[in-house]
């Protein structure tokens, strides 16, 4: 029976302790973190830590001052943890960007090798026209350089593209022209 009174007394004391300090701890934590849910979690953590070790604090002159220091420290630790997490995320994101860039480079090089291999199998005149097209020259410039008619360039370029498509289809390679 005596034990029940002690439990009820401790329960009542904890309840009144929470009523007395929770709101002010939440307000301080909110001011520091800017997040009400985080502030409530931190205030709850501080109350639990204080309550579990309350025997150590019996000689304190001001519980409120001590709780203020505890909630401030918990809030600052939380913010430091967020900053560390953000830095880690940025590093991971930067590494992912580098990896993506590396993969893009590898894929581009592989595509270039496949394209060069396919172009190598074209008839000589078609090969020249495709290579000149890849350097950015238009049909008229290619015709002037090779000293052939514009229509001939168009026909040979069309045949070359057709043969390249066939090559890629035969080798089960998807490429867009």
């Amino acid at each position: 029976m005596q034990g029940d009174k002690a439990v009820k007394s401790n329960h009542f004391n904890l309840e009144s302790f929470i009523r007395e300090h929770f709101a002010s701890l939440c307000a301080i934590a909110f001011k520091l973190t800017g997040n009400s849910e985080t502030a409530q979690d931190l205030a709850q953590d501080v109350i639990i830590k204080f309550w579990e070790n309350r025997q150590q604090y019996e000689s304190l002159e001001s519980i409120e001052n001590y709780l203020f220091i505890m909630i401030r420290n918990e809030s600052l630790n939380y913010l430091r943890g967020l900053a560390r997490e953000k830095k880690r995320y940025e590093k991971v994101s930067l590494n992912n960007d580098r990896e993506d860039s590396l993969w893009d480079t590898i894929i581009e090089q592989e595509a270039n090798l496949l394209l060069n291999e396919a172009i190598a199998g074209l008839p000589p005149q078609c090969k020249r026209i495709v290579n000149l097209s890849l350097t950015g020259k238009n049909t008229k410039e290619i015709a002037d350089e090779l000293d052939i008619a514009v229509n001939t360039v168009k026909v040979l370029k069309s045949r070359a593209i057709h043969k390249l498509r066939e090559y890629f289809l035969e080798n089960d390679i998807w490429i867009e022209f």
Side-chain angles (χ1 to χ4, degrees), residues 160-172 177:
I161 290 172
H162 181 72
K163 287 184 184 252
L164 290 172
R165 282 191 179 134
E166 284 179 356
Y167 173 83
F168 289 120
L169 283 174
E170 288 170 5
N171 291 296
D172 200 29
F177 288 93

Side-chain angles (χ1 to χ4, degrees), residues 2 11 14 17 26 32 41 51 57 59 67 70 76 86 95 100 109 117 119 127 136-137:
Q2 186 93 5
H11 176 70
L14 176 59
F17 185 81
C26 284
L32 293 169
D41 289 344
W51 192 257
Y57 309 125
S59 62
L67 288 173
M70 284 181 76
L76 293 176
K86 184 178 177 183
N95 286 341
D100 289 347
Q109 288 176 349
E117 184 180 304
I119 291 170
K127 187 188 314 183
K137 296 193 177 191

Side-chain angles (χ1 to χ4, degrees), residues 6 35 53 55 57-58 60-61 77 80 83 87 100 107 119 123 131 149 163 172 176:
N35 184 313
N53 298 311
Q55 308 304 341
Y57 309 125
E58 288 178 355
L60 288 177
E61 288 183 32
N77 286 341
R80 284 185 202 109
K87 284 181 183 177
D100 289 347
I107 290 169
I119 291 170
N131 284 328
K163 287 184 184 252
D172 200 29
E176 192 173 309

Side-chain angles (χ1 to χ4, degrees), residues 25 42 45-51 53 57 60 63-77:
L25 292 174
L42 293 172
D45 290 345
V46 164
I47 287 174
I48 291 169
K49 284 180 186 176
F50 183 87
W51 192 257
N53 298 311
Y57 309 125
L60 288 177
I63 290 175
E64 288 79 13
N65 288 345
Y66 193 78
L67 288 173
F68 170 79
I69 292 168
M70 284 181 76
I71 194 68
R72 183 196 65 194
N73 289 345
E74 284 292 317
S75 298
L76 293 176
N77 286 341

